[in-house]
Amino acid sequence: METVIRNENLRNIAIIAHVDHGKTTLVDAMFQQSGLFRPGAVMDERIMDSMDLERERGITITAKNCSVRYGGVKINIVDTPGHADFGGEVERALSMTQGAVLLVDASEGPLPQTRFVLKKALENGLRLIVVINKIDRKDARPDEVLDEIYDLFIDLGATDDQLDFPYLYAIGREGIAKKSLTGTGSDLHPLFKTILGEIPAPEYDLEEPFQMLVSDLGYSDYLGRLAIGRVQNGSAGFKDTMVCINENNKHAPFRITKFQVYEGMKLKDTTACEPGEIVILSGMDDVKIGDTICTSAAPKALERISVDEPTISMEFTMNTSPLSGREGKKLQAAKIKERLIKETLMNVAIRFEQTEDQDRFIVKGRGEFQMAILIETMRREGFELSVGRPRVIYKYENGKQLEPIENLFVDLAEEFVGVVTEKLSIRKGRLSNLVNNGSGRVRAEFSIPARSLIGYRDEFLTDTKGTGIMNIIFSGYEEYRGDFPTRYTGSIVSDRRGTSVAYALFHLQPRGRLFISPGELVYEGMIIGEYNKAGDIAVNPSKEKKLSNMRAAGKDEATVCANVLPMTLERAINFINDDEMVEVAPHSIRMHKRVFPAHLRH
């Protein structure tokens, strides 16, 4: 007798795409057309981007769940990040779904992160629907892009069944989807119908007990720790006794204190759940992503979520500068440690390590952008801390040193190809592909060590006059490619504590690029600019003009200081050397030497 059946009342899908190809905008339109909002209701743009950082940067950082209803079927939707640094979010989101909608820009075509998220979906065996979005762009080329998508599927080793994917054309911003370019469309009904017809309903085994893989975590001041995941088999009800099986196969019993499911953007209380549903449980004290929740009568663990190993590490420590404690409320090393450990519970791609020094911690992740988002989130929560330069994580096999290698994709104007290729070759990059379609812009692909790209993005934007686009995707580990200079310039370092003065900064301008303006507080060891030459230079930014009662012959020169670009976290992290740190406070970003006194540094 067949015991595996499908729950036809449900569909679980993920929306996957490269950064800025329109995932969140499409979800907005699906909300509007599924009847979730009453007609004429005012609705914010990108309502799924709930974090302030997501709205400011226009990107999705964390995967988020919601649901819509169409034709009597509930469709659970997971909006995933498109940036490879947040791959852990993509992996845990895909573990809850049976299918995915792959969104591709009709002009840009499949880009590096398209490849990344599609590879994860194919590995999970998901059924895919391709949506070629933004067909209203003037430079749209939907037919060519469709061919490129087929090539990408073949390149990633898709099966014949996966290659036979349905595709639609869409204008996500206007909420239109259609089966063909020549067809007329006024809504997203073709997309909804394709989802119901192509995405398989979740399967479950009638003979198996309740099982749920924890794919996400939440926290409520009233309910405590929340476990989010898809019910694989069986059903459970309010106040049932369960066990949580962790990575060490230890069983922790608990009782369900609350059952919730997604209804639109909100959570809805329920007394029981059905197989295949994405649910939120509360009642357990200690649970991690990847744990299994099942009945105490028949405990049976599911396969844990596997994520790619981290490739970048950064040092986190207390802020020890003379200006510490002026802005932040959370300064102690114990609070920083507690916050970082909490992050590892919520994010499967982040690893935490304690060093021999109780006040210093090592955090490992996918990339410097992921680290920058974590630090930016902490400073907005009132933390003050110092962080070091990102370092790549090496591996050693058979006596050989291996390093992480990235595939770097650059899109730039023809006249900048020479300077970019030259600088990347110095950084041990190898050109593997070059495409010139005659439009004046060139697409190049490089194989390059991950350490070469730390601090390169600003230089790339300068070399291409702000018109270049670069994307990276992790390739794997290769043998160490050798040393190269990471920075040809030094730092301009303050030699005393005080307040910067326009007269001093005006005379320092020829020495390099300054990071501070007149009237800012400085201290010994603080980096106030980039020196034109190699090595560091100690200066006095507080020096004032000597005054006397003698009249000067001729007019004094006007002390007009050049405008200073405000320092951002990413710029600071990219700039520093190994002997320097970034001081992060809620309202300030500064850089300083690890050793403050000049005589001890020399």
Side-chain angles (χ1 to χ4, degrees), residues 15-18 20-27 29 101-109 130-137 139-142 145-146 149 167-178 181 188 191:
I15 309 283
I16 59 175
H18 182 86
D20 204 30
H21 278 199
K23 298 181 299 296
T24 309
T25 305
L26 182 71
V27 174
V101 175
L102 175 67
L103 220 60
V104 183
D105 189 294
S107 169
E108 297 178 356
V130 171
V131 175
I132 299 174
N133 194 26
K134 304 185 183 181
I135 57 172
D136 56 331
R137 285 182 60 160
D139 55 351
R141 46 187 189 93
V145 167
L146 183 59
I149 294 169
Y167 58 88
L168 296 96
Y169 302 95
I171 307 172
R173 187 174 52 188
E174 297 178 14
I176 296 172
K178 48 190 180 180
L181 283 171
L188 289 176
L191 175 60

Side-chain angles (χ1 to χ4, degrees), residues 344-360:
T344 63
L345 296 175
M346 307 289 283
N347 189 337
V348 287
I350 294 279
R351 309 280 174 84
F352 172 85
E353 286 182 12
Q354 174 74 60
T355 64
E356 293 179 1
D357 184 346
Q358 292 298 312
D359 295 341
R360 292 181 183 273

